[in-house]
């Protein structure tokens, strides 16, 4: 058990340092902290002009969404960059459980996403004057953490697909755009076409954003619990899907001798 925790914890941190493509603190701050905040401010002021929803709708939704960039791309890099750097074969030859290796790699990206989401929410609340009930803070932190984990496993699923398809970054970029469009963070789900609402229900962020909005509105944890449970279920589903795809595409890549073909 100790070896398993070391594999997940220490291995995940080492992989994060080696595979996540930010090279300087300035790049980290500019890309992962400042970028989501400006996106939030853009949609908040656009929402004011159009009268679609109040500031709280955009602040809360975009704060949850802020975790997605680091988590989705990080989860993708956890697999695809091993292939890109020519080290994937060494990982797959390890006698350790590769499912534990790759699932454990999601944790540092989820922690990173949680940091980004908390920073974005705090800065936006100070700039735009959002009042968050003190008793809602634990539930809000839980909603952000569950969303970050779900996005990380979603990214790992995309990374697993990269074992079979060459241009996994096209898939990742399109997926992030879909999270922006279909999860109801900037456009109320009620005004979306039915097929968009159904698709959004299957994506991470959607239920966490709704739970966070209920908590900020003061409805209490009990009102937000069903949405939090739904978000956690989606995260578990993507984790299982990622594990299954990793095994399937690993076997397929070995059979076709295409493991590290770019």
């Amino acid at each position: 058990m100790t070896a398993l925790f070391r594999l997940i914890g220490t291995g995940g941190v080492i992989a994060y340092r080696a595979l996540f493509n930010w090279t300087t603190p300035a790049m980290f701050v500019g890309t992962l902290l400042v970028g989501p905040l400006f996106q939030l401010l853009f949609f908040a002021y656009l929402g004011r002009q159009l009268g679609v929803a109040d500031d709280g709708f955009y602040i809360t939704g975009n704060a949850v969404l802020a975790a997605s960039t680091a988590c989705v791309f990080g989860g993708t890099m956890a697999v695809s960059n091993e292939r890109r750097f020519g080290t994937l074969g060494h990982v797959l030859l390890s006698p350790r459980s590769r499912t534990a290796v790759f699932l454990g790699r999601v944790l540092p990206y989820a922690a990173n996403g949680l940091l980004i989401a908390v920073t974005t929410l705090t800065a936006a609340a100070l700039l735009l004057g959002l009042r968050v009930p003190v008793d809602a803070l634990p539930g809000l932190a839980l909603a952000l953490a569950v969303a970050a984990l779900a996005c990380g496993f979603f990214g790992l699923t995309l990374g697993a697909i990269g074992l079979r398809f060459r241009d996994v970054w096209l898939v990742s970029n399109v997926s992030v755009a879909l999270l922006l469009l279909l999860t109801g963070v900037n456009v109320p789900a009620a005004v979306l076409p039915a097929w968009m609402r159904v698709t959004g229900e299957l994506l991470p962020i959607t239920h966490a954003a709704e739970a966070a909005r209920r908590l900020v509105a003061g409805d209490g944890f009990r009102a937000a619990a069903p949405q939090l449970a739904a978000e956690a279920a989606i995260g578990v589903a993507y984790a299982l899907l990622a594990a299954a795809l990793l095994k399937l595409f690993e076997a397929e890549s070995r059979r076709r001798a295409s493991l590290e073909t770019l």
Side-chain angles (χ1 to χ4, degrees), residues 1-38:
M1 186 62 68
T2 301
L4 178 62
F5 283 124
R6 287 178 58 192
L7 180 65
I8 293 174
T10 306
V13 171
I14 292 174
Y16 171 85
R17 295 176 61 187
L19 302 176
F20 199 33
N21 289 350
W22 63 272
T23 55
T24 64
M27 182 179 293
F28 179 89
V29 172
T31 304
L32 297 178
L33 295 181
V34 177
L37 178 60
F38 275 100

Side-chain angles (χ1 to χ4, degrees), residues 44-116:
Y45 282 106
L46 181 64
R48 286 182 180 181
Q49 293 297 317
L50 298 178
V52 176
D54 59 12
D55 286 353
F57 177 88
Y58 295 101
I59 293 173
T60 309
N62 280 277
V64 179
L65 181 66
S68 66
T69 300
C71 294
V72 172
F73 283 107
T76 303
M77 290 175 187
V79 180
S80 61
N81 273 359
E82 292 280 11
R83 186 180 188 183
R84 176 186 174 191
F85 298 147
T87 55
L88 181 59
H90 300 286
V91 175
L92 298 182
L93 286 172
S94 169
R96 297 293 186 181
S97 168
R98 289 182 288 281
T99 300
V101 168
F102 284 112
L103 293 182
R105 290 184 177 185
V106 170
L107 299 180
Y109 298 112
N112 194 6
L114 178 60
L115 171 65
I116 295 166

Side-chain angles (χ1 to χ4, degrees), residues 156-180:
L156 191 64
T157 302
L158 301 180
I161 293 173
L163 291 179
R164 185 66 182 86
F165 298 97
R166 293 185 178 184
D167 194 358
V168 69
W169 301 113
L170 174 62
V171 178
S172 298
N173 281 289
V174 171
S175 298
V176 169
L178 290 178
L179 291 178
L180 179 66

Side-chain angles (χ1 to χ4, degrees), residues 98-145:
R98 289 182 288 281
T99 300
V101 168
F102 284 112
L103 293 182
R105 290 184 177 185
V106 170
L107 299 180
Y109 298 112
N112 194 6
L114 178 60
L115 171 65
I116 295 166
V118 169
T119 302
T120 303
L121 178 62
T122 303
L126 293 174
L127 290 172
L128 299 179
L130 177 68
R131 295 180 179 273
V132 180
V134 175
D135 59 351
L137 292 178
L140 190 56
L142 178 61
L144 296 177

Side-chain angles (χ1 to χ4, degrees), residues 231-258:
E231 185 75 14
I234 287 174
V236 171
Y238 277 115
L240 296 175
L241 179 60
L245 290 178
L246 284 168
K247 289 184 177 295
L248 174 64
F249 290 143
E250 177 192 346
E252 184 71 6
S253 297
R254 291 180 186 275
R255 188 175 68 84
R256 293 174 175 265
S258 60

